[in-house]
């Protein structure tokens, strides 16, 4: 039982100077989550008894973000002694004294490491009876990274940091990926012997390797071909590279699960998005946050969905939609702007150049062209004419508008909220709806049209209009 217990330590005390940011490095997002949130999720995937995060730089913000994402995480503050060895030493002190199991060490800025790789690293570590297992890789250009030292037989003898390495050691291409599995007791014993006597005056976690070997423990590095698993983020160039790779993996996973994605390079899908099989995603589409898309829907091109629920068979083209529910078989776009709190019913339509905010548009109801609908409830089977605006704001407060079932709002209406148009009512083109319209009534607010004969000839003589009018009169005369 005890030998199968597992704890995870996540290192996140470093400063991240090269990001040149007021935001702590590990809080920069890729795929809609902070770097550290990805690592916390992977740690949780190992189902450990405890996850410990070591913090120091921007302590409050980093610890706050960690606890918000994974409330059971134990936060440990690193003291003024620098180095990865010191960070891990202090984390171990937060483990229960009786914990005699396996410790996985991850970095808050290495976000693509996955559960499967760590599981196989841990099982190899246990099967081989090792005290330390390092995830390594062969890098053509290993500059800046720790090198794995091996003897002539290939057995590991230690790790040397670039800054402490000899010229010969710098030619070694097997690098320390910075992800480790340890036996708790031997790691603790090794760290107690490590000093800061090196080029960076830090307590190096990597020095645990030769200490454990000297004590007769087994140590080895297991190399991965997938370099992205150990890719760290130190600057914004690496942030985008790792973000792009995460996206490529997310897109591919959806494709393998039955989603058609026409252009993976211009499709960006956050890690938390869920997409059913037989959804089609067209180019230049951004699916963000907790968006979910049901089977048969088609999204894009040129569309952004944030925290949306899109139901079966809906179609959304060239639009921006946030915190909205789009009903089954509904149509949105092109060029719709749908803001939080909008619910479009089944087979409803929000069309070209229409903005909708905090409104319900019922089943089969349509707002097809050039409208603003805010704080409004539209029943089922209604139609809102082109160019209609709901005036929901009186300059101080916002008010609601209610439009019943099977209503026909004419073109270019202004509905002055609060106002209700009851079921089955019509409003004429150009109506300014200032008071309620009873069920089945026709509302009109427009003055009757008057034509003043000869006005152009009298007031605009000599213009093209006057001449055209004269020709038209003449033509009529000659026909008669
Ligand atoms: C470390 C390894 C190096 C390896 C590389 C892989 C050591 C001594 N070196 O180097 O062999 O090739 O990772 O990326 O471990 N951190 C703390 N407290 C500290 C210092 C660092 O929590 O006092 C955290 C950082 O926030 C970061 C992680 O530890 O998440 C790694 O630190 P970093 O400074 O990036 O280590 P490297 O020098 O790159
Ligand atoms: Ca680093």
């Amino acid at each position: 039982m005890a030998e199968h217990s597992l704890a995870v330590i996540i290192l996140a005390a470093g400063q991240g100077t090269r990001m040149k940011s007021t935001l702590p490095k590990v809080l920069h997002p890729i795929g809609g989550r902070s770097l550290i949130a990805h690592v916390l999720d992977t740690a949780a995937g190992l189902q450990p008894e405890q996850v410990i995060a070591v913090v120091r730089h921007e302590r409050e913000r980093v610890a706050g973000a960690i606890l918000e994402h994974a409330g059971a995480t134990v936060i440990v503050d690193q003291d003024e002694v620098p180095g990865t060895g010191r960070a891990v030493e202090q984390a171990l002190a937060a483990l229960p004294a009786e914990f005699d199991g396996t410790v996985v060490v991850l970095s808050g800025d290495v976000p693509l490491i996955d559960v499967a790789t760590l599981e196989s690293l841990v099982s190899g570590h246990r099967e081989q009876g090792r005290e330390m297992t390092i995830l390594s890789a062969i890098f053509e250009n290993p500059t800046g990274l720790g090198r794995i030292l091996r003897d002539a037989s290939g057995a590991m003898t230690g790790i040397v940091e670039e800054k402490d390495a000899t010229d010969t050691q710098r030619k070694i291409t097997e690098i320390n990926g910075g992800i480790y599995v340890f036996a708790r007791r031997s790691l603790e014993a090794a760290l107690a012997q490590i000093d800061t006597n090196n080029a960076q005056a830090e307590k190096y976690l990597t020095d645990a390797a030769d200490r454990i070997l000297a004590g007769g423990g087994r140590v080895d590095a297991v190399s991965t071909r997938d370099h992205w698993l150990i890719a760290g983020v130190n600057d914004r160039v690496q942030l985008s590279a790792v973000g792009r790779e995460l996206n490529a993996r997310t897109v591919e996973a959806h494709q393998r699960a039955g989603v058609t994605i026409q252009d993976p390079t211009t499709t960006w899908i956050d890690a938390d998005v869920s997409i059913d099989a037989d959804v089609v995603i067209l180019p230049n589409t951004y699916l963000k946050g907790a968006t979910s898309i049901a089977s048969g829907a088609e999204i894009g091109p040129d569309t952004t969905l944030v925290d949306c629920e899109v139901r079966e068979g809906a179609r959304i083209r060239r639009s921006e939609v946030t915190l909205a529910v789009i009903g089954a078989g509904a149509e949105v776009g092109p060029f719709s702007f749908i803001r939080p709190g909008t619910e479009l019913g089944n087979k409803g339509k929000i069309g070209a150049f229409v903005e909708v905010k905090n409104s319900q548009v019922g089943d089969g109801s349509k707002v097809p062209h050039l409208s603003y609908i805010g704080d409004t409830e539209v029943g089922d089977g209604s139609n809102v004419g082109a160019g209609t605006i709901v005036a929901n704001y009186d300059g101080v407060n916002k008010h609601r508008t209610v439009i019943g079932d099977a209503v026909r709002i004419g073109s270019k209406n202004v509905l002055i909220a609060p106002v209700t148009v009851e079921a089955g009512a019509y409003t004429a083109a150009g109506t300014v709806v200032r008071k309620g319209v009873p069920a089945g009534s026709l509302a009109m607010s427009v003055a009757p049209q008057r034509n003043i004969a000869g006005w152009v000839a009298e007031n605009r003589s000599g213009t093209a209009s006057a001449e055209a009018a004269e020709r038209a009169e003449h033509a009529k005369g000659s026909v008669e």
Side-chain angles (χ1 to χ4, degrees):
M1 169 69 193
E3 75 233 31
H4 285 295
S5 54
L6 187 80
V8 180
I9 296 171
I10 302 175
L11 304 183
Q15 196 163 352
T17 331
R18 280 177 282 161
M19 293 298 284
K20 303 210 167 112
S21 180
T22 56
L23 185 68
K25 174 166 80 176
V26 295
L27 301 192
H28 280 260
I30 57 171
R33 280 185 215 150
S34 65
L35 297 176
I36 191 118
H38 287 282
V39 181
L40 287 163
D41 289 349
T42 302
L46 295 172
Q47 297 176 288
E49 279 167 38
Q50 215 174 87
V51 177
I52 300 170
V54 186
V55 299
R56 178 171 169 89
H57 175 73
E58 289 262 25
R59 190 248 180 240
E60 293 306 321
R61 280 173 89 182
V62 175
I66 290 170
L67 291 174
E68 196 184 313
H69 190 80
T73 310
V74 176
I75 304 290
V76 166
D77 288 284
Q78 188 173 348
D79 61 17
E80 60 291 336
V81 180
T84 49
R86 181 59 178 168
V88 170
E89 186 174 31
Q90 291 195 278
L92 289 178
L95 274 177
E98 67 278 10
F99 179 94
D100 190 19
T102 307
V103 175
V104 171
V105 176
L106 305 176
S107 262
D109 58 359
V110 179
L112 299 187
I113 184 66
D114 61 23
V115 175
T117 304
L118 292 174
E119 276 173 350
S120 84
L121 208 63
V122 167
S123 60
H125 172 87
R126 286 171 174 164
E127 280 157 22
Q128 301 295 316
R130 288 188 213 117
E131 321 267 278
M132 176 176 187
T133 303
I134 300 130
L135 187 60
S136 66
I138 309 298
F139 274 18
E140 235 169 84
N141 175 9
T143 307
L145 294 160
R147 310 295 207 282
I148 304 295
L149 305 177
R150 295 181 184 275
D151 65 17
S153 75
M156 235 194 99
T157 58
I159 304 173
V160 64
E161 291 304 290
E162 162 109 1
K163 289 192 173 126
D164 301 289
T166 63
D167 286 349
T168 319
Q169 288 170 334
R170 283 194 188 149
K171 296 205 173 83
I172 296 170
T173 53
E174 186 181 9
I175 59 92
N176 169 21
I179 284 165
Y180 315 83
V181 184
F182 292 99
R184 190 253 174 115
R185 299 263 182 248
S186 13
L187 175 57
E188 216 158 32
L191 288 170
Q193 303 166 37
I194 292 170
D195 55 29
T196 58
N197 204 347
N198 53 51
Q200 301 183 85
E202 288 182 6
K203 199 158 181 173
Y204 290 162
L205 179 58
T206 46
D207 283 350
D210 58 19
R211 298 305 188 289
I212 292 172
L213 285 164
R218 286 192 189 172
V219 175
D220 206 356
V222 177
S223 161
T224 175
R225 283 166 187 277
D226 184 352
H227 293 180
W228 288 110
L229 294 178
I230 54 170
V233 172
N234 296 301
D235 59 30
R236 302 203 197 217
V237 176
Q238 291 168 337
L239 181 72
S240 76
V242 167
R244 209 181 313 117
E245 180 60 24
L246 171 65
N247 189 60
R249 290 176 186 219
T250 304
V251 165
E252 184 176 333
H254 286 296
Q255 288 175 317
R256 299 216 177 275
V259 179
T260 293
I261 296 173
Q262 201 181 75
D263 182 10
T265 58
T266 64
T267 301
W268 290 82
I269 304 177
D270 278 357
D272 289 330
V273 170
S274 85
I275 311 177
D276 287 354
D278 287 323
V279 166
V280 174
I281 313 284
L282 298 173
N284 268 317
T285 291
Y286 297 75
L287 304 175
K288 294 167 176 265
T291 292
S292 69
I293 304 174
S295 179
E298 187 172 307
I299 314 296
D302 306 321
T303 292
T304 299
L305 306 184
V306 184
D307 297 325
C308 285
E309 179 186 337
V310 179
R311 301 199 172 141
E312 288 76 10
R315 174 100 178 73
I316 306 179
R317 287 182 288 165
R318 298 186 202 278
S319 292
E320 177 159 334
V321 188
T322 301
L323 266 169
V325 178
I326 305 301
E331 266 185 69
V332 171
F335 312 110
S336 306
F337 180 37
I338 300 186
R339 294 164 51 199
T342 299
E343 286 172 38
L344 176 60
N346 298 335
K347 299 212 155 101
K349 175 171 179 162
I350 292 175
F353 305 103
V354 173
E355 175 176 347
V356 181
K357 182 212 82 172
N358 188 32
S359 295
Q360 293 75 48
V361 176
D363 290 348
S365 285
K366 295 181 176 168
V367 189
H369 327 276
L370 299 159
S371 287
Y372 171 68
I373 305 293
D375 304 312
T376 297
E377 184 187 321
V378 180
D380 296 338
S382 290
N383 192 82
V384 176
T388 290
I389 301 293
V390 170
N392 57 329
Y393 183 46
D394 64 12
V396 181
N397 295 305
K398 302 269 169 81
H399 302 280
R400 283 198 72 79
T401 295
V402 177
I403 296 173
D405 294 340
V407 165
R408 297 287 176 268
I409 302 289
S411 295
K412 198 141 199 289
N413 279 204
V414 181
L415 294 119
I416 315 277
V419 74
T420 297
V421 180
E422 291 177 10
Y426 273 56
T427 66
T431 302
V432 178
V433 183
R434 293 178 187 276
K435 55 183 193 187
V437 182
S441 302
L442 169 67
M444 300 176 71
S445 66
V446 189
Q449 180 176 328
R450 275 199 305 148
N451 297 333
I452 301 171
W455 187 93
V456 174
E458 251 170 60
N459 294 282
R460 298 288 186 271
S461 70
T463 64
S465 302
E467 284 162 16
E470 200 185 323
R471 280 196 301 276
E473 282 300 315
H474 191 77
K476 270 192 211 166
S478 60
V479 167
E480 279 166 51

